[in-house]
Amino acid sequence: MNSSKKRVVILGGGTAGWIAANLMATHWGDKGFEISLVESPDIGIIGVGEGSTPPLKGFMDTIGVSESEWMPECNATYKVGITFKDWSVKPGFTQYVHPFLCQPDHFSVPAFFHNSFLRRKGLDLEGHPDHFFLTTEMIKQKLAPVAPPNFPFEINYGYHFDSGLLGQFLARHAAKKGVQYISATVSEVVLDQQGNIAYLLTGEGQRIEGDLFVDASGFKGQLIQQALKEPFISFAESLFNDSAVVFATDADEDIAPHTVSTALKYGWAWRIPLTNRVGNGYVYSSRFVDDDQAETEFRAHLGLLDSDVAARRLKFKVGRVQHHWVKNCLAVGLSQGFIEPLEATALDMVQETVVRFIEAYNQGDSDAGRNAFNTRISARFDAVRDYIVCHYRISSRADTDYWLANGSNEKISPSLRAILMSWMAGQNITDELERQKLDAYFPNVSWNCLLAGKGIYPTREQLKPGNEMANQYKLEDIRRYIQGCAMNFKPHMQQLQALGKTS
Ligand SMILES: Cc1cc2nc3c(=O)[nH]c(=O)nc-3n(C[C@H](O)[C@H](O)[C@H](O)COP(=O)(O)OP(=O)(O)OC[C@H]3O[C@@H](n4cnc5c(N)ncnc54)[C@H](O)[C@@H]3O)c2cc1C
């Protein structure tokens, strides 16, 4: 091995390990870094995590992969947002879409903010978000979010994909970029006198030495949590879910480009459409329901009570490590922490962690650089946690102890409390989000959709008719504008077929 090279050793070949390998090889491959990835042939990957947010497109662009290369290989579909069903029992607000904001929305969002703001002040204006976003129309018409070249606006979107196939695709791509693959199970992590990781020892006695180690070993955090003993901060007091049961069902014939999240008695169920199947999972809290009862409820929800289709059960812990970069180790993926998958934010967190780490490392390894990096990534975790916690805290469901406990949970962060108080007081929450510098994580549109979509407004009896000034935006004009924009997009199925293989 050439000793002038910096040796980066990634432990773990799940999606996190392969995203890290590809980004590091892209940024550092020609800069004297030698990157290897160690994966156990015996310890599997978690094998869930099939929905993304828009930054995954930026990741694929960065590593030089086009949609026609990766999407057909991973049975992928497009995703323009998440439809939330049955999270609220308020009439007119039992369902809404959390959209990925697109440029055309900038013309209609002011109307949403205006109406929503005045509705909180007691005027009877349309405040449901679904009337104001192009993505809602794309879901309704099952359109693909890929704009034709002459369409002058940018469209933001994410994807759904088979996580196992995505990992395999990224492994092949990393190999082309020079990443070395080692199939072995690490049995021991050996530290040097300064407490840095010196080498990994495999079950066969092979020493794997490195200058920098990336822990992508999954929930157990073999390097960061076990060897380096970095403390884990649990989020369990504000996020109760710790279990999931997962099923695949037959593919949809005509695929709508959204994830559906339906609230059930003790949690919520995802529905993620791929080209060859639909991925379904029920995320629930074992404090309130046992695994068998949860599986029965979920089977009933899917109409599978009489079916012998096999389910997979999973346990997870929510929270994060205190620091993500410790000594000569960076933690990414489940080893650094996990917020339950309601907004499919985990892969985005992996990407953000690796990109910011590369930036910081390129500046030279200093205490100030490390501290700034760790503070930034932890702040992102905490901000995402609060957005997820908000879904539960404002839910109006009261059908089980689970929903009652969520709705009255006082163990929420001061930051979330301030946002909720600002909304309830009828203030402009954009100011509060800017004051707290939170707009970079979930944009103010997302917060407004969450609160408005779940119907956090005065009751119908409390509302007064809007006057002419209040009614300055005509819903009919907005509808026509959105439908006009939608005419530029092809059917989702047609776009998927144009990319190549659909099952
Ligand atoms: C129920 C659920 C739903 C989710 N849904 C989403 C979603 O919709 N969107 C999203 O972005 N994320 C989601 N996630 C998170 C997502 O699954 C993970 O972030 C992602 O899969 C990355 O996992 P990982 O690579 O960190 O860990 P894993 O997939 O667990 O990979 C760990 C790797 O480490 C290796 N390894 C472990 N120990 C050793 C050892 N001793 N020696 C050698 N190798 C070792 C294993 O072989 C494996 O390759 C979800 C998670 C859960 C639990």
Side-chain angles (χ1 to χ4, degrees):
M1 195 172 278
N2 181 346
S3 61
S4 67
K5 289 207 163 197
K6 276 240 183 254
R7 296 157 306 172
V8 181
V9 177
I10 300 170
L11 175 63
T15 329
W18 288 117
I19 287 178
N22 275 280
L23 284 172
M24 288 179 168
T26 301
H27 288 282
W28 284 343
D30 59 355
K31 296 198 170 61
F33 285 74
E34 194 170 80
I35 299 161
S36 48
L37 184 146
V38 192
E39 183 187 23
S40 167
D42 304 317
I43 306 169
I45 59 166
I46 187 143
V48 280
E50 309 211 310
S52 89
T53 51
L56 193 69
K57 180 165 187 344
F59 163 74
M60 292 294 182
D61 291 346
T62 301
I63 66 167
V65 170
S66 68
E67 289 181 347
S68 58
E69 286 172 275
W70 80 268
M71 286 184 69
E73 296 278 313
C74 302
N75 299 326
T77 63
Y78 291 99
K79 169 180 173 186
V80 299
I82 304 177
T83 298
F84 287 89
K85 284 188 179 167
D86 298 337
W87 283 76
S88 163
V89 293
K90 299 198 170 167
F93 294 93
T94 54
Q95 177 169 332
Y96 76 99
V97 174
H98 174 199
F100 295 141
L101 191 68
C102 298
Q103 258 184 355
D105 297 327
H106 291 303
F107 294 95
S108 48
V109 159
F112 169 49
F113 280 6
H114 169 90
N115 280 14
S116 171
F117 183 63
L118 291 183
R119 192 175 174 101
R120 279 188 289 137
K121 300 262 181 223
L123 294 184
D124 189 6
L125 299 178
E126 182 52 74
H128 194 295
D130 284 4
H131 297 279
F132 302 92
F133 294 92
L134 174 57
T135 45
T136 312
E137 190 62 27
M138 287 182 165
I139 293 169
K140 213 182 292 168
Q141 294 191 34
K142 298 184 178 156
L143 301 175
V146 181
N150 61 343
F151 191 67
F153 302 111
E154 254 179 55
I155 302 295
N156 246 339
Y157 55 83
Y159 307 96
H160 304 120
F161 44 82
D162 180 316
S163 64
L165 295 178
L166 180 66
Q168 290 165 25
F169 180 89
L170 292 177
R172 291 194 292 277
H173 195 69
K176 285 188 218 152
K177 287 177 174 282
V179 174
Q180 305 290 317
Y181 179 72
I182 304 168
S183 174
T185 301
V186 170
S187 53
E188 202 183 328
V189 180
V190 180
L191 306 185
D192 67 17
Q193 286 184 338
Q194 285 74 45
N196 285 302
I197 298 173
Y199 59 90
L200 311 180
L201 200 59
T202 71
E204 292 77 36
Q206 184 190 356
R207 264 181 185 221
I208 304 172
E209 294 180 350
D211 301 298
L212 186 62
F213 290 83
V214 177
D215 187 350
S217 64
F219 277 120
K220 68 180 175 213
Q222 189 160 358
L223 307 186
I224 194 93
Q225 295 182 49
Q226 294 184 7
L228 297 176
K229 309 264 183 277
E230 184 58 19
F232 185 82
I233 301 168
S234 172
F235 294 162
E237 63 177 20
S238 57
L239 290 172
F240 302 159
N241 296 341
D242 59 4
S243 309
V245 52
V246 180
F247 287 101
T249 50
D250 291 344
D252 293 336
E253 271 176 26
D254 192 7
I255 302 172
H258 64 151
T259 298
V260 178
S261 157
T262 307
L264 299 179
K265 283 184 180 168
Y266 304 99
W268 61 278
W270 77 72
R271 185 179 198 283
I272 291 186
L274 308 187
T275 56
N276 65 327
R277 63 169 162 84
V278 174
N280 307 277
Y282 181 16
V283 177
Y284 59 92
S285 169
S286 64
R287 257 172 61 196
F288 294 88
V289 64
D290 70 37
D291 296 337
D292 289 339
Q293 232 183 313
E295 183 172 329
T296 304
E297 185 196 357
F298 192 36
R299 281 183 181 274
H301 166 71
L302 295 174
L304 290 177
L305 268 182
D306 298 327
S307 152
D308 55 5
V309 55
R312 200 152 74 85
R313 291 179 181 181
L314 297 163
K315 294 287 166 196
F316 56 82
K317 59 176 183 183
V318 287
R320 63 166 169 84
V321 288
Q322 198 167 332
H323 300 100
H324 310 262
W325 177 7
V326 178
K327 300 284 182 185
N328 62 341
C329 174
L330 171 74
V332 296
L334 300 173
S335 72
Q336 75 180 132
F338 181 55
I339 300 165
E340 64 137 283
L342 186 58
E343 293 277 353
T345 44
L347 295 186
D348 175 54
M349 195 70 82
V350 169
Q351 202 180 323
E352 180 71 10
T353 300
V354 179
V355 168
R356 297 300 172 201
F357 175 76
I358 291 171
E359 272 172 21
Y361 200 80
N362 286 347
Q363 308 275 318
D365 183 355
S366 67
D367 284 349
R370 263 167 201 262
N371 291 343
F373 167 83
N374 281 322
T375 304
R376 179 177 196 153
I377 300 300
S378 293
R380 190 175 186 89
F381 256 93
D382 297 353
V384 171
R385 174 203 59 201
D386 283 354
Y387 188 77
I388 307 293
V389 170
C390 188
H391 283 270
Y392 294 96
R393 186 64 178 78
I394 64 172
S395 169
S396 48
R397 285 184 71 128
D399 51 328
T400 56
D401 288 354
Y402 170 86
W403 287 107
L404 289 169
N406 271 297
S408 60
N409 187 10
E410 288 308 320
K411 293 194 171 147
I412 60 173
S413 73
S415 159
L416 176 56
R417 196 176 293 281
I419 296 167
L420 289 176
M421 281 172 62
S422 148
W423 179 274
M424 300 301 179
Q427 289 159 5
N428 180 347
I429 62 161
T430 308
D431 297 341
E432 180 58 29
L433 295 169
E434 280 174 6
R435 187 186 71 74
Q436 294 194 40
K437 300 193 175 59
L438 289 176
D439 204 27
Y441 306 109
F442 275 98
N444 63 4
V445 166
S446 292
W447 281 97
N448 277 275
C449 284
L450 167 55
L451 289 151
K454 291 198 165 73
I456 312 301
Y457 284 126
T459 60
R460 176 144 292 287
E461 299 71 50
Q462 291 167 324
L463 295 173
K464 296 190 249 2
N467 56 28
E468 196 150 319
M469 221 170 70
N471 274 319
Q472 62 176 279
Y473 293 102
K474 302 275 170 284
L475 276 186
E476 183 48 29
D477 294 348
I478 292 167
R479 196 180 62 81
R480 262 206 307 273
Y481 165 71
I482 287 175
Q483 286 185 342
C485 288
M487 288 168 79
N488 289 282
F489 297 87
K490 285 187 198 153
H492 191 200
M493 292 308 286
Q494 196 180 322
Q495 183 71 27
L496 292 175
Q497 273 146 10
L499 286 173
K501 170 190 102 145
T502 47
S503 315

